[in-house]
Amino acid sequence: GENVEQHPSTLSVQEGDSAVIKCTYSDSASNYFPWYKQELGKGPQLIIDIRSNVGEKKDQRIAVTLNKTAKHFSLHITETQPEDSAVYFCAASLNDMRFGAGTRLTVKP
Amino acid sequence: KAGVTQTPRYLIKTRGQQVTLSCSPISGHRSVSWYQQTPGQGLQFLFEYFSETQRNKGNFPGRFSGRQFSNSRSEMNVSTLELGDSALYLCASSLFLAGEAEQFFGPGTRLTVL
């Protein structure tokens, strides 16, 4: 089955800096790659997703890039704010959703 | 539009007991997926139901089972509870199969097994 690896496990940045989280997947047939943000006491919330026929997608301060050849995809958050502090999960899907282990992002004011 | 609701939010059980968790998807959504979240194993896929049929199943023992009703509401059951079953159980609903449409997660049910 699909295996998703996510790095780093923790990330601390200063407010206004950029944050990058990287994931790799094992099944080249996976075709859907969402990113979720989970705040304390809540379920994960989709923040951006990308499909295998697209190389990059952007939504305001958030962007995702996908390299199908290398089987990796990344989340980029620019101009980080304290409210971006949360745990971020990547996932890859073919027949079911497989998640990375998560990255705890801390944005220091 | 109401989000995904899960009941109960918190549950304490003892080893050997069984438990049933409930999930009400967003109105109109036909797919419900269940996940187990633990600090050590992260988010792990349990199973997905679509139009009352189990479409996919993760790598969990047969003690974990589920079903979906005609109104798309779903339940999952865990029998003969073990300490290691303590976790946050999340359900997510989507219009179509997971991977074809955005999944919306509920707040989860926190299960503690003593």
Side-chain angles (χ1 to χ4, degrees), chain A residues 35-54:
Chain A
W35 285 89
Y36 290 89
K37 175 184 181 182
Q38 187 173 26
E39 296 173 318
L40 200 61
K42 298 183 179 180
Q45 180 181 14
L46 181 75
I47 55 172
I48 196 166
D49 56 8
I50 193 167
R51 296 200 177 270
S52 58
N53 59 346
V54 177

Side-chain angles (χ1 to χ4, degrees), chain A residues 31-32 34 36 38 41-47 49 51 87 89 93-101, chain B residues 9 35 37 42-45 48 56-59 88 90 98-108:
Chain A
N31 56 13
Y32 177 60
Y36 290 89
Q38 187 173 26
K42 298 183 179 180
Q45 180 181 14
L46 181 75
I47 55 172
D49 56 8
R51 296 200 177 270
V87 179
F89 293 95
S93 175
L94 176 56
N95 295 313
D96 57 58
M97 198 75 71
R98 301 294 170 131
F99 286 81
Chain B
R9 291 293 312 276
Y35 299 88
Q37 186 173 30
L43 266 161
Q44 291 190 287
F45 171 73
E48 178 184 12
N56 289 301
K57 190 176 192 307
N59 189 26
L88 180 68
L90 293 158
E100 296 179 359
E102 178 181 353
Q103 282 193 308
F104 294 83
F105 280 83

Side-chain angles (χ1 to χ4, degrees), chain A residues 6-7 11 13 24 29 31 34 45 52-53 55 60 62 70 72 74 76 78 87-88 90-91 95 97 104:
Chain A
Q6 182 173 347
H7 300 280
L11 180 59
V13 300
T24 60
N31 56 13
Q45 180 181 14
S52 58
N53 59 346
Q60 299 182 340
I62 295 172
H72 67 69
S74 301
H76 304 253
T78 59
V87 179
Y88 291 80
C90 63
N95 295 313
M97 198 75 71
R104 182 173 297 280

Side-chain angles (χ1 to χ4, degrees), chain B residues 1-13:
Chain B
K1 193 172 184 181
V4 178
T5 57
Q6 292 187 245
T7 56
R9 291 293 312 276
Y10 302 91
L11 206 48
I12 299 176
K13 292 285 187 179

Side-chain angles (χ1 to χ4, degrees), chain B residues 39-59:
Chain B
Q41 299 296 320
L43 266 161
Q44 291 190 287
F45 171 73
L46 279 155
F47 27 67
E48 178 184 12
Y49 286 87
F50 184 84
S51 295
E52 302 179 68
T53 302
Q54 187 180 90
R55 297 303 297 263
N56 289 301
K57 190 176 192 307
N59 189 26

